[in-house]
Amino acid sequence: MRNRLGLIALVLWLVTAVGLGVLFVHGRTEKAPDGRTAILMSAAERDFVFTEMRGLLVAVRDITAALAEGDTVKVAAAAKAMGMGEAHDRAPALLAKLPLDFKRLAMTLHGGFDEMAEAAAKGETPAQLNTRLIAQLDRCTVCHAGFRIDVAQ
């Protein structure tokens, strides 16, 4: 009897681990009619993600303005605000709903802002920083071309 309970516990543990692994990789998604991957979440979670995206857009605007002025101190401040330290741990439950490719893009994007802030602080020229900003915008474009966020029904 004891061996049977142990075996049942092991099987349940394995099923749970596999299920969580699949959720971590695929998130809560479905194929959207437009060919992109639809990430399914609650309306509140969608609002949270869209608020963060608007914050990214504001940072890009601020960085662009600072580059036009040649002010790399402002570039560093705006970029740092969107870096890894500022962007995470605000919605840990949401991470489970995001597919791995989306998570990778987000991590690369926020890490790229950290790199831009460091480069600005170390004296990269506005032209070099603009090249970094273009790479950041390329990440935004890839993400928006491949994903959309839908409210789960």
Side-chain angles (χ1 to χ4, degrees):
M1 181 71 171
R2 209 174 226 185
N3 287 340
R4 182 176 279 190
L5 285 176
L7 182 60
I8 290 170
L10 179 62
V11 168
L12 288 174
W13 180 84
L14 286 172
V15 168
T16 301
V18 168
L20 289 173
V22 168
L23 184 61
F24 180 81
V25 171
H26 295 288
R28 188 164 176 220
T29 63
E30 66 185 22
K31 198 68 170 170
D34 64 5
R36 295 184 291 168
T37 298
I39 302 170
L40 306 174
M41 57 183 66
S42 72
E45 290 166 331
R46 182 179 183 196
D47 289 346
F48 174 84
V49 172
F50 284 174
T51 298
E52 180 155 325
M53 286 181 187
R54 284 189 298 276
L56 289 164
L57 187 57
V58 168
V60 168
R61 184 255 172 238
D62 292 347
I63 291 167
T64 303
L67 289 172
E69 297 170 6
D71 189 338
T72 58
V73 172
K74 285 183 182 176
V75 169
K80 184 175 179 169
M82 287 295 114
M84 291 290 280
E86 301 298 322
H88 298 290
D89 297 331
R90 289 187 282 187
L94 180 60
L95 285 176
K97 295 181 180 180
L98 304 175
L100 186 58
D101 288 342
F102 186 95
K103 289 180 226 184
R104 282 185 184 140
L105 280 168
M107 296 290 195
T108 302
L109 180 71
H110 289 294
F113 279 114
D114 282 334
E115 291 169 7
M116 182 183 294
E118 290 174 27
K122 289 181 180 176
E124 273 195 15
T125 67
Q128 291 169 313
L129 294 168
N130 192 57
T131 298
R132 288 180 182 273
L133 182 60
I134 291 166
Q136 291 295 86
L137 290 170
D138 286 344
R139 291 178 181 108
C140 295
T141 302
V142 167
C143 190
H144 284 269
F147 298 99
R148 65 189 247 177
I149 299 175
D150 291 348
V151 174
Q153 299 302 327

